[in-house]
Amino acid sequence: MVGLALRLFRHHRGAAIATGLIALIGMALVSTMTTLLATGLADGTAEADRSFLTQFPMIMGGWVVAIVVFAMVSTIGVTLGGRAGEIGGLRLIGATPRQIQVMVSAETLAVSAVAALPGLLLGYLLGWIVLAAVRSSGLIAESSAYSPGLALPVAGVVVVLLASIAAAWIGSRKIAGRSPVDGPAPAVRKRSRRSPRRVLAAVLLVAGIGSSSAVLAMDADDIATTAMTGPATVLVAIGLAVLAPELVVLVNRVLKVASPRGAAGHLAAVNLSAAPERVRPAVTFLTLLVGVSAGTLSMQGIENRHSAEGSTAQVLASINYLVVVLIAVFMAIALTNNLVAALGRRQEEFTTMSLIGSTSGQTRGMLLREIVAATFVSVIAAGIGALVCVIPFAVVKTGSPAAAFAAGPYLLSIVLGAVIALGVTTVAGNRVVRTAAVH
């Protein structure tokens, strides 16, 4: 296992770092929730505190596991795109698709295993910080000490390790099954209306909207309103992120209509039309980041403004802000990793453009227009998804949907996603374009 990890890191350092970071932060977040759950189950915990210290981490832990699995599947899919030549070579010398999937799964497990101990230790630290914040707010008694134990946090790490194997198996299925003698499938092709991906997206969207709508039958003070709406925002965001290829089609249309005339705008429109997969990682993770952040922040803002002063719901909302920030950091890292990996794969493309006369400025302008259009489409889709989930919550809490339309949480999430996407594209894109121009 260590040998596989070293080989992957040596020959595919970017892929190893991207996968390792996702695994590290994922393990830290899952371990944080399991340390709180262990504390809630500990003998020394006050009886009155057990309900919160078991329900809260189980609800949040479910969000985190779903996000981690999706992020790992998407990251592995992007990083494997840069290894198409290697995998094609293995297929030519007799490797079967199953053997390729086993190899990728073993490599991913090895890299994730290296991150296990640091992730576990970071989870212990974050769990202590969260519990201290909960205790200082008065939500639990001082006598309920931090008792994380070992079994549950380790089980959380094992869950992420198993998720990494599943993610590698799923993420490598397409490239492993590709013919080693045929070129990649055409970028633009007719898609089946009943493709498994679209079915999955539909199931996630229906489940998310159903979960958020269910709160309309609940009492405003019922903690289940938060427990139902929070996962709903995650499910809808993931469902929309799964529909990234359809959103990329919208990105292409935006470029054709809104992009100003000139070489850079023309290159962006033509390039994206020919190879829409190039901006898919940005669309996927921007949609996820903005959708989850906007939905949960909007929900917690409503809770803070309209719950009774000092109530359990209001205090819980304040604690949720900390957890939402941790999840947002995780998704921001995933977005950054995938953007860097996707841009790194395009060096050959930029070299070809340089050889046929495109200047570095025109190539950078093309990249900027692509990411601006991708950001525009992603944040609109994610914002609409978050709004749909939060409206029932606002109706139950306030009697009106108006509170769901508060602009602050959406603007904050959009600015965060846009700054990361544009910043990473500018820095990493400039470096790749400069290297391609030299060569």
Side-chain angles (χ1 to χ4, degrees):
M1 182 176 291
V2 175
L4 277 172
L6 290 175
R7 185 176 71 82
L8 177 60
F9 187 81
R10 185 181 303 115
H11 297 289
H12 306 285
R13 184 172 301 178
I17 291 174
T19 304
L21 278 174
I22 295 295
L24 173 64
I25 305 302
M27 287 174 183
L29 291 175
V30 173
S31 297
T32 299
M33 296 300 110
T34 53
T35 60
L36 296 177
L37 178 60
T39 300
L41 297 174
D43 294 335
T45 301
E47 191 65 31
D49 299 335
R50 291 185 183 277
S51 177
F52 170 76
L53 288 176
T54 53
Q55 292 180 12
F56 175 73
M58 289 181 70
I59 293 170
M60 286 293 185
W63 300 10
V64 171
V65 170
I67 293 171
V68 168
V69 171
F70 181 77
M72 292 196 74
V73 170
S74 300
T75 300
I76 289 167
V78 172
T79 55
L80 284 178
R83 300 175 62 183
E86 171 198 346
I87 293 174
L90 291 172
R91 291 293 312 280
L92 284 172
I93 61 175
T96 65
R98 184 181 180 85
Q99 289 172 330
I100 297 295
Q101 287 182 278
V102 170
M103 179 194 73
V104 173
S105 299
E107 291 176 350
T108 303
L109 176 60
V111 173
S112 299
V114 172
L117 181 58
L120 180 63
L121 296 177
L122 184 56
Y124 274 107
L125 176 61
L126 291 174
W128 178 80
I129 293 172
V130 172
L131 190 71
V134 172
R135 188 183 294 111
S136 66
S137 68
L139 191 58
I140 64 173
E142 291 290 337
S143 60
S144 296
Y146 185 46
S147 306
L150 183 63
L152 283 178
V154 169
V157 170
V158 171
V159 167
V160 178
L161 288 174
L162 293 176
S164 71
I165 297 173
W169 187 268
I170 296 170
S172 61
R173 182 172 59 88
K174 182 177 179 180
I175 194 168
R178 182 181 298 169
S179 170
V181 294
D182 293 336
V188 179
R189 64 183 184 273
K190 186 176 181 180
R191 298 179 181 272
S192 171
R193 292 184 180 274
R194 295 185 180 180
S195 68
R197 180 183 56 77
R198 288 184 174 181
V199 171
L200 173 61
V203 169
L204 290 170
L205 292 173
V206 170
I209 295 173
S211 178
S212 65
S213 300
V215 306
L216 292 171
M218 298 177 183
D219 186 77
D221 296 326
D222 192 338
I223 195 173
T225 57
T226 300
M228 297 293 285
T229 306
T233 62
V234 175
L235 289 172
V236 169
I238 293 177
L240 290 171
V242 170
L243 291 175
E246 285 72 21
L247 294 178
V248 170
V249 173
L250 294 179
V251 173
N252 193 26
R253 292 177 180 174
V254 168
L255 272 174
K256 288 180 178 179
V257 173
S259 184
R261 292 182 180 180
H266 176 73
L267 285 171
V270 172
N271 199 31
L272 190 56
S273 178
E277 294 293 315
R278 288 168 180 162
V279 298
R280 181 174 175 177
V283 171
T284 297
F285 282 95
L286 272 170
T287 303
L288 188 63
L289 172 60
V290 175
V292 174
S293 299
T296 50
L297 288 176
S298 178
M299 180 184 70
Q300 301 305 344
I302 293 170
E303 192 83 83
N304 271 352
R305 290 192 301 272
H306 298 282
S307 297
E309 186 67 28
S311 66
T312 299
Q314 191 176 71
V315 175
L316 179 60
S318 300
I319 302 304
N320 281 348
Y321 278 126
L322 174 59
V323 179
V324 169
V325 167
L326 294 175
I327 293 174
V329 169
F330 169 77
M331 290 186 294
I333 291 173
L335 172 60
T336 301
N337 278 343
N338 281 272
L339 281 173
V340 171
L343 287 168
R345 288 169 48 190
R346 299 180 66 176
Q347 182 168 333
E348 183 177 349
E349 169 200 344
F350 298 153
T351 300
T352 302
M353 292 176 62
S354 178
L355 289 173
I356 63 174
S358 175
T359 66
S360 296
Q362 289 171 339
T363 304
R364 286 193 293 267
M366 177 193 74
L367 278 178
L368 184 61
R369 284 164 174 78
E370 288 177 1
I371 201 64
V372 167
T375 301
F376 177 77
V377 170
S378 300
V379 300
I380 288 180
I384 292 174
L387 181 64
V388 168
C389 290
V390 176
I391 284 177
F393 185 82
V395 170
V396 169
K397 292 291 182 179
T398 70
S400 168
F405 291 85
Y410 299 94
L411 290 177
L412 178 62
S413 302
I414 289 170
V415 169
L416 173 64
V419 167
I420 294 173
L422 294 174
V424 171
T425 300
T426 299
V427 174
N430 285 348
R431 177 172 55 81
V432 176
V433 170
R434 186 168 56 250
T435 302
V438 170
H439 291 83

